[in-house]
Amino acid sequence: MKIYFYDRHGPDLESPTDQPKTEALRSLFQDIATSSGHTTHWVPTDRRGNLSYPDEKDPYLLIVHPATGGIYQQRMLHDQLLAVDEHAHLLLVSSSPQSLARCDHERAYASPVSYDLIEGQQIIALADSIEAGAPDWQTVAPGGDPGTLIAYYLLRVTGHLDALADVERQALEQAALAQLKALRPDASLDDAGRHLGLDAPPRSPSPHSQDSPT
Amino acid sequence: MILLQSSAGCEKALSLRAKVSHTWLDHEVMMVPTELALLRWQRNGWLGVQDRWQALHRIALDLADHLDDFSAARLVVRLPALASLPATLRDAMTAQLDAMHRELMDTPAIRASYMTRLQALWNDSLHFFEMANRAYEDARADDFIARWQAVRDAASSLRAMFTSGEIPQGSLLP
């Protein structure tokens, strides 16, 4: 499967940079290129840094280290992320929590992750799982996507947990509990819903919302 | 409500949501104060914008058809942990979760409200572009400002459905 990289400092591996995070991404790119069956590509950009997204017909993994500095960059990021087609599985990487939060806002279903958490083997495992049709984002964003916990919750809330064999149910409970502990160390499965943020009452429509555009 | 990432079953709806709420309503309308709108008119800066808005309007209409995507039932086929369950069990879960979703989110009513507000915005937009696409006339500046303000009011009304959570930001879990 194809893995595309975008970095705000460009793909030129020989160009000097004082950005250690950029170096980390370049290193990641090379690790994957040399140690997996996946093909790696840099997303081309024009002279202003605008991305030209690949026109892929099959799922692909897009790893973006976004430019998020000034207003222009923010607007560009906004346009860039929304322009990604539906075949892209987008992984946003940044060392800045603010950048990650902004990315999450712009492209809600992206999976932002800190550089510090990424290793080449995790990316390869993620690409493998996407290729297999079931993306496992836990490999790169532990605790960021509690899919097993959600599955456990859905089984429980629909009353089907007991339909599982004991051994299956116990395995699921253990995995769900591990994900819950990653979110809330002191939580128990009995109130999984509350710790998934489900205790908040539905928000009522308000014409005077305080949300502001960014 | 929780926003899922990899396991979300509503990527399409979220993408449409972001384009309507953020690209159109925020960037194209709410971030353009009256003074800037007027300045654009003086500089013929509105020419071509209507085409872009027409595309955004189509996206907004598309979103109305994807409001059911926020049901947790869409997750059943997406969560790897449920993949090994018998099909009959997953079908039963899907049906139950869809029923729960209907209790949680009155999609027909929300869609109706959304379409009413969207139509109002579009009507006001067309009324605005009738003037904005013509050359600037100093004598009609007040009329222009009133038309732009009507667009902003309509956009604000529509935007409230996003900021309030009526149109969710992710899969809704019961």
Side-chain angles (χ1 to χ4, degrees):
Chain A
M1 121 177 259
K2 293 179 179 176
I3 303 174
Y4 284 89
F5 288 83
Y6 166 75
D7 183 85
R8 58 190 176 205
H9 295 292
D12 185 359
L13 297 176
E14 302 303 321
S15 69
T17 174
D18 59 356
Q19 294 286 329
K21 300 304 182 186
T22 293
E23 289 295 350
L25 187 59
R26 291 175 179 180
S27 174
L28 195 68
F29 178 90
Q30 289 197 315
D31 284 350
I32 295 168
T34 57
S35 63
S36 79
H38 304 292
T39 59
T40 51
H41 313 265
W42 288 99
V43 175
T45 56
D46 63 19
R47 283 185 298 178
R48 299 185 68 194
N50 294 305
L51 278 71
S52 176
Y53 282 117
D55 183 23
E56 293 290 345
K57 301 302 179 195
D58 297 314
Y60 64 96
L61 177 59
L62 175 61
I63 300 174
V64 173
H65 181 204
T68 55
I71 296 298
Y72 171 73
Q73 284 83 2
Q74 288 181 22
R75 177 61 191 267
M76 195 170 75
L77 170 69
H78 165 263
D79 293 341
Q80 287 167 353
L81 296 182
L82 290 179
V84 178
D85 68 39
E86 293 169 36
H87 298 297
H89 292 264
L90 183 61
L91 178 66
L92 297 163
V93 294
S94 175
S95 59
S96 160
Q98 287 181 329
S99 293
L100 294 177
R102 188 180 300 122
C103 292
D104 201 28
H105 169 62
E106 302 287 9
R107 176 77 184 232
Y109 52 94
S111 184
V113 63
S114 167
Y115 263 115
D116 300 334
L117 296 175
I118 299 180
E119 293 177 1
Q121 289 304 315
Q122 292 174 312
I123 300 293
I124 292 169
L126 174 61
D128 287 342
S129 65
I130 291 172
E131 203 165 45
D136 180 11
W137 293 80
Q138 283 290 323
T139 59
V140 293
D145 188 5
T148 302
L149 180 58
I150 301 290
Y152 169 84
Y153 177 78
L154 293 183
L155 279 164
R156 186 166 171 159
V157 79
T158 55
H160 291 298
L161 203 53
D162 291 338
L164 302 183
D166 285 348
V167 63
E168 289 177 319
R169 190 181 68 249
Q170 287 167 4
L172 181 68
E173 284 176 346
Q174 285 182 358
L177 185 61
Q179 290 188 348
L180 181 57
K181 292 290 186 185
L183 294 171
R184 301 283 188 278
D186 58 343
S188 72
L189 285 177
D190 286 338
D191 49 9
R194 186 163 65 85
H195 290 290
L196 284 169
L198 306 176
D199 58 331
R203 285 177 289 180
S204 58
S206 167
H208 306 298
S209 169
Q210 297 303 304
D211 286 7
S212 60
T214 56
Chain B
M1 181 171 65
I2 187 168
L3 175 64
L4 299 177
Q5 295 166 354
S6 66
S7 51
C10 52
E11 293 97 334
K12 174 77 172 180
L14 284 177
S15 177
L16 296 171
R17 184 192 195 284
K19 288 170 182 169
V20 175
S21 172
H22 205 62
T23 304
W24 189 12
L25 303 182
D26 285 350
H27 281 278
E28 299 274 340
V29 185
M30 304 313 293
M31 286 181 170
V32 181
T34 302
E35 308 77 44
L36 179 56
L38 191 61
L39 187 64
R40 278 189 189 173
W41 191 32
Q42 293 166 343
R43 297 178 176 178
N44 294 321
W46 286 103
L47 299 180
V49 174
Q50 187 172 353
D51 289 344
R52 189 163 72 236
W53 283 32
Q54 279 176 332
L56 291 165
H57 181 235
R58 282 194 295 273
I59 289 170
L61 292 172
D62 200 12
L63 174 59
D65 293 330
H66 283 83
L67 294 178
D68 287 327
D69 291 3
F70 295 110
S71 168
R74 303 295 171 271
L75 298 173
V76 173
V77 296
R78 302 294 298 273
L79 291 167
L82 300 178
S84 61
L85 296 180
T88 51
L89 178 54
R90 289 195 293 164
D91 289 346
M93 284 183 71
T94 300
Q96 281 177 272
L97 290 169
D98 265 334
M100 291 173 168
H101 182 72
R102 286 192 288 274
E103 296 287 321
L104 200 64
M105 178 176 168
D106 188 353
T107 304
I110 290 173
R111 183 180 287 117
S113 176
Y114 173 79
M115 291 302 292
T116 299
R117 298 182 201 207
L118 176 60
Q119 187 60 53
L121 171 60
W122 191 237
N123 290 343
D124 287 332
S125 299
L126 293 176
H127 187 56
F128 167 76
F129 280 115
E130 280 177 5
M131 181 172 287
N133 286 335
R134 294 204 298 261
Y136 175 75
E137 297 177 58
D138 198 35
R140 302 193 66 188
D142 287 345
D143 187 12
F144 176 90
I145 289 171
R147 293 184 188 210
W148 178 243
Q149 190 56 50
V151 171
R152 283 174 61 85
D153 290 346
S156 179
S157 173
L158 182 59
R159 187 171 173 274
M161 297 194 71
F162 295 93
T163 54
S164 68
E166 274 184 284
I167 297 176
Q169 290 179 297
S171 294
L172 285 174
L173 299 190

